[in-house]
């Protein structure tokens, strides 16, 4: 089996697993965790000196970062179930939404919350930071909700990488007790019923 995925148990590791399931790919999963010491082993450090998950091996090609892995898999193994953008404009819009979701919702809000919410033993407790992150995410959830008023999926062309990115963040937000806006909540519930999401979720959080 040439395709190997490393990492499980987080919103970020869900993304490449879900992508692989949507594309119908055969892969071997190494379900190591982010703070179990497994990313600091000599074997894994040789693959990824950043000592971070998720990580992908496709033969001799090694790639990290969840969004990059998803993009690679879609381009390398195209499928009618997740059509590639057909124009430069569609590709640019997909990039815009993926970067927005990753940069503003994941990295700037949810992950900073995680540091001072779940990982206080490492990064210290900071109610002020957590409060600011919650307010920041609420602001961007309103942006998403407005967009979804006129879209069944993030992009008009249908389900794609931007949806995988968004749903993983919405899962994370729900875990942190956010009350999603009505339209976003309806969208999230639809995505949660996708058979490949359900399979990926069970694999990732096993």
């Amino acid at each position: 089996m040439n395709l190997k995925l490393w990492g499980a148990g987080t919103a970020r590791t869900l993304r490449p697993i879900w992508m692989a399931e949507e594309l119908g790919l055969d892969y071997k999963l190494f379900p190591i965790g982010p703070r179990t010491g497994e990313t600091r082993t000599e074997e894994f450090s040789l693959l990824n000196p950043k000592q971070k998950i998720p990580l992908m091996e496709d033969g001799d090609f090694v790639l990290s970062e969840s969004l990059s892995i998803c993009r690679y898999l879609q381009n390398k193994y195209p499928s009618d179930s997740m059509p590639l953008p057909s124009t430069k404009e569609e590709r640019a819009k997909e990039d815009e939404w993926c970067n927005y979701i990753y940069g503003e919702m994941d990295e700037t809000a949810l992950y900073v919350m995680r540091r001072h919410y779940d990982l206080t033993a490492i990064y210290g407790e900071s109610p002020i930071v957590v409060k600011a992150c919650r307010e920041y995410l609420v602001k961007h959830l309103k942006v998403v909700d407005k967009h979804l008023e006129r879209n069944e999926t993030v992009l008009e062309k249908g389900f794609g990488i931007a949806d995988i990115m968004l749903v993983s963040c919405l899962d994370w937000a729900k875990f942190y007790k956010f009350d999603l806006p009505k339209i976003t909540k309806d969208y999230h519930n639809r995505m949660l019923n996708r058979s490949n999401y359900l399979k990926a979720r069970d694999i990732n959080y096993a």
Side-chain angles (χ1 to χ4, degrees), residues 1-35:
M1 194 174 295
N2 288 329
L3 184 61
K4 301 174 183 178
L5 298 176
W6 294 76
T10 75
R12 291 175 176 175
T13 58
L14 173 69
R15 296 164 186 164
I17 295 171
W18 187 4
M19 174 63 76
E21 293 298 333
E22 290 286 346
L23 296 173
L25 303 179
D26 291 326
Y27 62 94
K28 180 175 177 60
L29 178 67
F30 297 85
I32 66 174
R35 286 179 173 78

Side-chain angles (χ1 to χ4, degrees), residues 23-146:
L23 296 173
L25 303 179
D26 291 326
Y27 62 94
K28 180 175 177 60
L29 178 67
F30 297 85
I32 66 174
R35 286 179 173 78
T36 60
E38 295 166 298
T39 61
R40 295 193 296 274
T41 64
E42 182 178 358
E43 177 190 12
F44 188 77
S45 297
L46 287 172
L47 290 171
N48 187 9
K50 292 181 284 186
Q51 299 182 330
K52 296 287 186 179
I53 53 173
L55 184 78
M56 180 208 75
E57 292 180 85
D58 190 12
D60 294 331
F61 183 63
V62 180
L63 188 66
S64 64
E65 306 301 332
S66 61
L67 177 55
S68 297
I69 295 169
C70 288
R71 174 76 72 200
Y72 169 82
L73 292 176
Q74 188 185 28
N75 281 295
K76 179 72 179 291
Y77 304 104
S79 169
D80 291 340
S81 66
M82 285 189 67
L84 290 164
S86 58
T87 66
K88 292 178 180 178
E89 289 77 12
E90 280 187 0
R91 175 63 180 267
K93 273 295 175 185
E94 186 169 73
D95 284 346
E96 176 189 30
W97 273 101
C98 287
N99 288 324
Y100 171 67
I101 293 163
Y102 195 84
E104 304 303 329
M105 300 178 73
D106 178 318
E107 288 187 318
T108 306
L110 289 162
Y111 189 72
V112 176
M113 274 188 68
R114 174 167 164 72
R115 287 188 170 196
H116 301 287
Y117 191 75
D118 292 340
L119 305 174
T120 55
I122 300 172
Y123 297 105
E125 188 174 349
S126 180
I128 294 174
V129 170
V130 172
K131 180 175 182 293
C133 288
R134 294 190 73 90
E135 291 171 351
Y136 191 75
L137 185 60
V138 166
K139 171 185 173 181
H140 292 290
L141 286 172
K142 290 177 181 177
V143 173
V144 169
D145 203 61
K146 186 68 175 176

Side-chain angles (χ1 to χ4, degrees), residues 144-160:
V144 169
D145 203 61
K146 186 68 175 176
H147 175 74
L148 292 174
E149 284 182 0
R150 56 188 184 278
N151 294 279
E152 289 289 312
T153 52
V154 175
L155 298 179
E156 291 182 8
K157 71 181 180 68
F159 180 84

